[in-house]
Amino acid sequence: MLRTLRVRPHLVRLFQAQALQQRFIKRHGTQSTPGSSNVGNVMRYVSTAIVLAAIGAWWSLATTDPAPPLESRPGQHLLVESDPSKAEVTRILSQDAYSFIVRNVAGVGRYDGAQLASNSPCEDRFTHGLVFPWHNGSPWVALALFDGHAGWQTAEFLEKNLLPSVQQSLGLMKPPSNGQVTPERTIHDAIMKAFVDLDNSIIKKAEDASESDQSLQEKVRRFAPAFAGSCALLSLYDPMTSGLHVACTGDSRAVLGQQSPDGKWEAVPLSTDQTGRNEAEVARLNAEHPGEEGLTQDGRVLGLAVSRAFGDGRWKWPSETMESFSRRFCGPGVLPPKYSIRTPPYMTAEPVVTTTTIKSDRPSFLILATDGMWDRLSNQQAVDLVVAWLDSRSQGAGTEEPTSYPPFDFGSFREGVSPGFVKERTIVQDDNAAVHLMRNSLGGNHFEMVAGRLALTPPYSRNRRDDITIQVVFFNSDTAQVNK
């Protein structure tokens, strides 16, 4: 179907003026000669007409869709509010929070989650839900979080692909029958294989793209998860065995809060941070790269904070390969010359997997969090905070007296005010356990400290907080207590 072209009147005037100029030039030429002042005057007239016609055309086009009045522009009041209200602070902390009641998996009552960005965009990602290791088997509860670095691309790739890969790998195992239990070692191997295979696919997709006939746009897109990097922390709960499987690659951390028979709560670490400060990791690297001195310095592995990660091609490819990929596809470049790259890869995505039996006669909960939270809370402090949250819900939340603090700015940290968690600053006011942990890690009842940290925007926000992602799972808890 042909469309009729509608020419606006102002454009007609412009075309007519241009045609007049062309006819004049054809008849009289473009050069002025002595005694040809009339010609010059006419030319100036024609030129002026064209200019006016062009201005008219531009003005008509520019005002076809009138600009909104200044007072109605969205966001114009963002800088006016210099003292955000407590409701606004809660809104920011809760904007990416979620809570789910679990009704079809025995032993699990509920899980909560929350995320707070510092980078723009946030480099953390997370996922959660039910997985079915065997088609006809009972569902398992799965939660995972991914702490990206040097970009968000690897973490986003894991968000979409890690759980499906783990489920597929578990599905290749022989389903248990006749009351038999699948050996822990078999489950661990399946999870580890899923992690390693997925990381290999990230690296191989980039390598294959470099020599393919794909467009440059597609090649750059396929390189992104290999140039960036990410940690991964996964938990899987099997209701048939009450087994909690935790797989850790990097420095996100899983901690179990478990009540003992005497009523005390214990913090049980289910993962260990994999960094250059972890003696076991340093020993592993030295054994894998004998004769190479200085692989770990100041708690870092050849400059990287973690000793295991997905992506991070700079620590996995030979220097010559990385230099080629960097030159052709604008990657991050080779590691500085001070690092001797002799026998890569130095980084692996293979996780450390543990299995813990959740005892049915003891209330317990699991905390998963990226290092943005653990930088400010110890294992026991995090467990104690969740216990305080549970106690408040069981007893009915009361009204807390507002705490008064001296005038505060970030310079106060140099004058004796602790930037980390302080028990006296604990506050319980959130319905979501993950938001509760986040608020207290940022300052608790010290409103000015929390609000000030939230007011900082990228890139300066990284001076006072990292991206934070938290998930909390409740086992064997009184549902009336946890879910009300």
Side-chain angles (χ1 to χ4, degrees):
M1 176 179 174
L2 298 177
R3 293 184 179 181
T4 303
L5 179 64
R6 298 179 60 188
V7 182
R8 297 177 180 177
H10 61 271
L11 294 178
V12 174
R13 292 193 296 271
L14 176 61
F15 298 151
Q16 289 174 339
Q18 290 175 328
L20 176 62
Q21 183 189 43
Q22 293 299 322
R23 288 196 299 272
F24 183 87
I25 292 174
K26 183 176 180 181
R27 179 178 299 178
H28 298 285
T30 58
Q31 300 296 322
S32 296
T33 58
S36 61
S37 58
N38 289 336
V39 173
N41 290 337
V42 172
M43 282 294 296
R44 282 191 292 274
Y45 168 79
V46 173
S47 299
T48 302
I50 292 175
V51 171
L52 292 175
I55 292 174
W58 171 84
W59 181 256
S60 178
L61 289 172
T63 57
T64 299
D65 298 314
L70 187 62
E71 63 272 11
S72 69
R73 287 191 307 173
Q76 66 164 333
H77 300 300
L78 291 180
L79 297 180
V80 175
E81 181 58 82
S82 59
D83 183 14
S85 67
K86 293 185 177 181
E88 175 65 6
V89 165
T90 298
R91 185 195 67 78
I92 295 172
L93 294 175
S94 304
Q95 60 187 354
D96 291 317
Y98 53 90
S99 291
F100 286 91
I101 306 300
V102 182
R103 303 190 188 281
N104 54 348
V105 179
V108 181
R110 158 180 170 166
Y111 63 82
D112 293 359
Q115 185 174 81
L116 176 67
S118 180
N119 293 294
S120 181
C122 181
E123 294 180 343
D124 283 6
R125 295 292 187 273
F126 61 86
T127 188
H128 53 84
L130 303 180
V131 298
F132 294 82
W134 300 281
H135 294 297
N136 298 322
S138 301
W140 293 11
V141 175
L143 295 98
L145 45 83
F146 314 103
D147 184 356
H149 48 262
W152 49 266
Q153 294 87 346
T154 315
E156 184 162 287
F157 180 88
L158 296 176
E159 176 190 21
K160 297 175 181 177
N161 295 285
L162 184 65
L163 274 187
S165 297
V166 169
Q167 178 170 281
Q168 181 181 23
S169 185
L170 290 172
L172 297 176
M173 300 186 307
K174 182 181 179 180
S177 60
N178 300 325
Q180 295 179 340
V181 176
T182 304
E184 288 182 5
R185 184 70 257 173
T186 303
I187 295 174
H188 291 188
D189 288 345
I191 295 173
M192 292 165 64
K193 185 177 187 306
F195 273 56
V196 172
D197 287 352
L198 193 59
D199 186 54
N200 288 341
S201 75
I202 292 173
I203 299 300
K204 191 173 188 306
K205 280 182 180 179
E207 294 171 343
D208 291 347
S210 70
E211 303 303 327
S212 73
D213 57 0
Q214 297 169 337
S215 68
L216 178 59
Q217 180 186 27
E218 180 62 18
K219 289 180 180 179
V220 169
R221 188 183 69 81
R222 288 177 176 267
F223 264 96
F227 284 157
S230 179
C231 304
L233 182 63
L234 167 70
S235 73
L236 295 165
Y237 178 73
D238 176 3
M240 299 300 294
T241 64
S242 299
L244 176 62
H245 310 290
V246 171
C248 178
T249 293
D251 62 355
S252 296
R253 193 184 309 164
V255 174
L256 182 69
Q258 185 172 257
Q259 191 174 36
S260 59
D262 62 3
K264 294 182 180 179
W265 285 85
E266 178 186 9
V268 182
L270 302 186
S271 68
T272 303
D273 300 356
Q274 298 159 359
T275 70
R277 301 186 188 281
N278 182 325
E279 294 182 0
E281 286 294 282
V282 174
R284 176 183 65 82
L285 285 165
N286 289 336
E288 292 176 356
H289 306 275
E292 297 188 48
E293 303 295 333
L295 291 180
T296 57
Q297 297 180 17
D298 300 323
R300 292 178 170 267
V301 179
L302 297 176
L304 188 63
V306 294
S307 55
R308 303 190 190 210
F310 286 83
D312 285 326
R314 286 200 294 174
W315 287 265
K316 295 174 181 176
W317 284 312
S319 296
E320 299 77 12
T321 302
M322 190 63 224
E323 193 280 330
S324 172
F325 291 163
S326 176
R327 182 181 68 253
R328 297 165 59 198
F329 308 112
C330 287
V334 298
L335 295 177
K338 66 179 180 178
Y339 300 122
S340 177
I341 306 301
R342 292 160 52 187
T343 57
Y346 295 94
M347 202 65 50
T348 178
E350 182 178 275
V352 174
V353 186
T354 63
T355 296
T356 304
T357 300
I358 301 299
K359 299 179 180 179
S360 60
D361 60 342
R362 296 187 185 183
S364 56
F365 54 82
L366 173 68
I367 303 172
L368 306 173
T370 57
D371 64 339
M373 188 197 81
W374 296 117
D375 286 343
R376 303 191 182 282
L377 292 176
S378 69
N379 295 353
Q380 191 63 54
Q381 287 171 340
V383 167
D384 289 345
L385 281 168
V386 175
V387 171
W389 182 86
L390 284 170
D391 289 344
S392 175
R393 296 176 70 81
S394 65
Q395 298 167 6
T399 303
E400 295 193 23
E401 291 295 326
T403 305
S404 177
Y405 291 98
F408 172 84
D409 60 38
F410 297 120
S412 302
F413 290 148
R414 299 185 180 184
E415 300 168 1
V417 175
S418 173
F421 174 76
V422 175
K423 184 177 180 180
E424 289 70 27
R425 295 203 292 250
T426 300
I427 188 171
V428 183
Q429 69 174 78
D430 300 292
D431 291 331
N432 183 297
V435 174
H436 167 72
L437 282 170
M438 186 181 297
R439 183 190 298 274
N440 281 280
S441 74
L442 294 172
N445 65 17
H446 196 316
F447 172 72
E448 193 73 11
M449 183 184 297
V450 178
R453 280 172 162 157
L454 296 180
L456 290 169
T457 56
Y460 308 108
S461 52
R462 283 302 304 270
N463 296 332
R464 290 301 169 201
R465 57 185 174 87
D466 194 1
D467 296 332
I468 302 174
T469 304
I470 305 170
Q471 295 172 323
V472 184
V473 190
F474 294 96
F475 305 101
N476 306 319
S477 299
D478 182 354
T479 15
Q481 172 182 322
V482 178
N483 297 333
K484 70 179 182 179

